[in-house]
């Protein structure tokens, strides 16, 4: 599983100009089963996405297509972790530690 942390690198006016395209991109990745949760950080200086079921190379390809990245208004920090414990509703995302 991955925590994708976005940090805005441009004024909010430029973020807002690309926001609708970003939301459509999010919707596409949710439909593909890649994203589990997402939202704005508070204060509004970026966002967070939880991604699952894909490898790091796929994550990097997916975020390269984010309209925020294409517009040059954010940077990503990718953190991979093994979700060995989850809430019951997220049991399908539970992972095993590698041997």
């Amino acid at each position: 599983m991955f925590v994708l942390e976005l940090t805005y690198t441009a004024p909010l006016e430029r973020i807002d100009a690309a926001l609708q395209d970003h939301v459509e991109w999010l919707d596409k990745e949710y439909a593909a089963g890649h994203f589990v949760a997402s939202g704005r950080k508070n204060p509004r200086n970026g966002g967070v996405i939880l991604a699952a079921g894909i490898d790091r190379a796929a994550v990097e390809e997916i975020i390269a297509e984010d309209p925020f990245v294409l517009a040059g208004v954010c940077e990503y920090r990718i953190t991979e972790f093994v979700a060995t414990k989850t809430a019951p509703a997220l049991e399908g995302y539970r992972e095993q530690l590698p041997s």
Side-chain angles (χ1 to χ4, degrees):
M1 187 172 283
F2 296 87
V3 177
L4 311 178
E5 182 180 5
L6 294 77
T7 301
Y8 298 149
T9 59
L12 287 178
E13 298 79 36
R14 287 194 51 211
I15 301 301
D16 288 340
L19 186 57
Q20 184 57 41
D21 291 339
H22 174 74
V23 169
E24 290 172 9
W25 169 81
L26 286 169
D27 290 344
K28 181 183 100 177
E29 296 306 328
Y30 274 106
H34 299 151
F35 291 171
V36 177
S38 61
R40 291 179 179 174
K41 291 193 282 187
N42 187 14
R44 188 179 175 204
N45 60 7
V48 175
I49 301 168
L50 297 181
I54 49 180
D55 62 20
R56 187 177 184 99
V59 167
E60 290 173 357
E61 288 177 19
I62 289 167
I63 63 174
E65 298 173 357
D66 180 351
F68 280 174
V69 170
L70 298 174
V73 299
C74 84
E75 294 177 346
Y76 271 89
R77 177 176 172 212
I78 303 169
T79 303
E80 184 173 4
F81 74 103
V82 180
T84 56
K85 195 163 188 69
T86 65
L90 299 175
E91 185 176 333
Y93 296 103
R94 205 170 293 159
E95 301 172 300
Q96 298 292 321
L97 288 173
S99 330

